[in-house]
Amino acid sequence: QPVESGGRLVQAGDSLRLSCTAFGRTVSSYHMAWFRRAPGREREFVAHISRASGDIYYAESVKGRFTISRDNTVNTVYLQMDSLKPEDTAVYYCAAADPGPIGPTLATRPLAYDYWGHGTQVTVSA
């Protein structure tokens, strides 16, 4: 399964980069995504990057502030988070989907993904 890292306590306005490393496989073979779950809320979609990096989608709440990318040479997917807000506080999960067509609607749904990490906590103080 994927392994996330990089979560920590930061202040509003700060930047943070999360990493998701491979799980005995090559990330280049999978569509990858980040989801998050805030206290008392459902898991929500954050960002998706397709296997060939040709399709990238973001939740409206993070568009313009977060950037998803992948570096296949080090088998890692990143989530660069800038201008962080207290409402970004959540456990962030990395997810991977087996190759196959995933459009922009399905890409936002947890059921599209086959493998999940345990999450990394991001806390943004006001």
Side-chain angles (χ1 to χ4, degrees), residues 73-126:
T73 64
V74 293
N75 221 18
T76 302
V77 175
Y78 302 102
L79 184 68
Q80 176 66 41
M81 305 186 293
D82 299 319
S83 303
L84 282 161
K85 305 175 182 180
E87 51 263 44
D88 294 319
T89 295
V91 177
Y92 283 73
Y93 298 91
C94 179
D98 289 327
I102 293 183
T105 299
L106 185 58
T108 68
R109 297 177 179 170
L111 61 83
Y113 299 90
D114 304 287
Y115 311 99
W116 291 84
H118 290 300
T120 185
Q121 176 71 48
V122 173
T123 303
V124 184
S125 64

Side-chain angles (χ1 to χ4, degrees), residues 27-32 49-56 70 72:
V27 295
S28 60
S29 299
Y30 300 89
H31 306 300
M32 303 295 294
I49 184 167
S50 65
R51 185 171 66 89
S53 302
D55 296 317
I56 294 177
R70 66 195 311 158
N72 293 334

